[in-house]
Amino acid sequence: MDVPSEDYDVSVMIKAVNEVQAVLTSRQFATFSEVDTEIAKTLKRYEAFGDGFERFHVNLTKDALQSNDLQKSLKDMNKRCEERLRDCECSQKDQINDILPFIRNTSTILVHGSGNLLALAVACAIQEHEGVRFYVCEGRPARKGFPSGSGVALLEKVSGTPEGMRLKEKLQKYCTIVPDSGVSSVMNSVDFVVMGANCVTEHGGLVHSTGSLQIAIVAAFRSVPCYVLCETFKFTHIFPLGTEDLKQPEDGAGQVVPLVEFVPPSMITLIFSDQGIMPPSAVADEMFRFHTAPSAPWKQR
């Protein structure tokens, strides 16, 4: 199964929406079919990032098939683009505001990943809760984008956030990089685990970088909650049963290296998304709107 190629963030969705909006406002269309084709062409370049962009396409055009007024439909689609952009602008703040109440001044948290959302969450937690302690997984093997591991890359992103720039010395004091092999040694002192996501599968499982499964297994054995910080556009229509079902990216030498892993939904406690806090079982409900939409791709065949 193909999975998104990198731990991308909301900026990619904002870019896609802006491109679609430019298509809608800069061209004259005679039929809805022309509009739908152009939107599909625009979003096709984002296929590598998962099917969240296909769901955006369906939501954008959901009422157009029942309308006889093309110009009104174009205005409605442009309005939906504006609404989506507003949602994207505040989605990260909403997610972080959801997770901050779970953190106390005495909390010790294990984090794994290198995404911008996770970095912002770490910076805000340190700013709001004096005394919080983060163990940051080293995140090996090294790969393009973070040759020293995802842990070092995450701390660089934390220090690059507006909140992180004001903290500086505190980052060194409250964040400690631990080797991946040392996860079990610190798990006893951890209150909960927070991981980013390449994507979340429709049955609530997590696809993320190497080490995620090991962390989840150790956390489950120690009865430590495992949380995932992920936007809903990363919810993906795939059903892997294990890591072996995932297509691994290739390294520079053309050899297959295990860079992503699958974590079963039974090992995930909660998912913090832009649609709120949900258990893994609620992911399918969130995606159900897409599958029942009258303009879903398979209903147009």
Side-chain angles (χ1 to χ4, degrees):
M1 297 179 181
D2 289 326
V3 298
S5 58
E6 58 187 50
D7 196 4
Y8 64 99
D9 65 3
V10 71
S11 63
V12 179
M13 175 58 78
I14 292 175
K15 181 181 177 182
V17 176
N18 283 329
E19 289 182 5
V20 170
Q21 196 171 27
V23 169
L24 295 175
T25 56
S26 63
R27 292 191 52 183
Q28 295 292 325
F29 298 98
T31 65
F32 168 72
S33 179
E34 292 179 14
V35 178
D36 192 59
T37 299
E38 287 303 315
I39 293 175
K41 286 181 181 178
T42 302
L43 294 177
K44 186 175 177 61
R45 69 194 69 170
Y46 296 97
E47 282 182 348
F49 296 105
D51 61 6
F53 298 86
E54 185 182 4
R55 292 199 302 279
F56 167 64
H57 182 184
V58 170
N59 180 67
L60 190 64
T61 59
K62 61 183 179 181
D63 298 326
L65 290 176
Q66 285 75 42
S67 174
N68 295 321
D69 188 341
L70 180 60
Q71 295 307 312
K72 181 178 182 301
S73 294
L74 289 172
K75 289 181 181 179
D76 289 342
M77 283 186 268
N78 188 57
K79 183 179 178 182
R80 288 196 185 102
C81 285
E82 294 289 348
E83 291 172 351
R84 189 69 173 120
L85 288 173
R86 285 195 294 270
D87 289 342
C88 288
E89 288 174 0
C90 63
S91 63
Q92 290 188 330
K93 294 179 181 178
D94 291 341
Q95 287 174 265
I96 291 170
N97 286 335
D98 282 341
I99 200 170
L100 283 178
F102 287 71
I103 303 173
R104 303 185 301 273
N105 291 343
T106 57
S107 294
T108 300
I109 305 165
L110 178 68
V111 295
H112 177 53
S114 60
N116 292 332
L117 178 60
L118 187 59
L120 185 58
V122 171
C124 289
I126 296 174
Q127 179 178 266
E128 295 294 325
H129 298 279
E130 186 79 22
V132 66
R133 178 81 179 273
F134 284 97
Y135 286 120
V136 182
C137 292
E138 185 181 24
R140 296 285 186 168
R143 67 197 77 175
K144 185 179 179 181
F146 34 92
S148 299
S150 63
V152 172
L154 177 67
L155 292 185
E156 289 175 352
K157 290 182 179 181
V158 171
S159 61
T161 63
E163 293 78 7
M165 290 179 181
R166 294 193 291 267
L167 297 170
K168 293 187 178 179
E169 305 85 8
K170 291 185 179 181
L171 293 182
Q172 298 292 332
K173 180 180 178 182
Y174 296 130
C175 296
T176 303
I177 293 182
V178 297
D180 297 322
S181 58
V183 166
S184 60
S185 65
V186 301
M187 193 64 74
N188 273 341
S189 59
V190 166
D191 294 301
F192 59 86
V193 175
V194 181
M195 291 193 281
N198 280 39
C199 68
V200 170
T201 65
E202 191 161 359
H203 54 325
L206 169 68
V207 177
H208 198 218
S209 55
T210 307
S212 303
L213 181 58
Q214 170 188 274
I215 294 169
I217 290 173
V218 176
F221 180 75
R222 298 292 188 185
S223 299
V224 174
C226 189
Y227 302 144
V228 173
L229 203 56
C230 176
E231 298 91 341
T232 51
F233 61 78
K234 290 187 179 182
F235 292 178
T236 307
H237 183 58
I238 57 175
F239 293 85
L241 299 179
T243 300
E244 61 275 8
D245 293 330
L246 303 176
K247 182 179 179 181
Q248 298 288 348
E250 294 184 354
D251 66 1
Q255 297 178 344
V256 176
V257 178
L259 296 179
V260 292
E261 290 181 332
F262 172 70
V263 180
S266 59
M267 295 183 180
I268 304 299
T269 309
L270 290 173
I271 297 171
F272 291 81
S273 76
D274 49 297
Q275 295 299 318
I277 305 170
M278 62 183 71
S281 58
V283 174
D285 295 333
E286 179 63 30
M287 297 183 70
F288 185 69
R289 306 174 199 174
F290 167 65
H291 299 312
T292 57
S295 53
W298 47 85
K299 294 193 176 184
Q300 297 182 39
R301 294 171 184 169

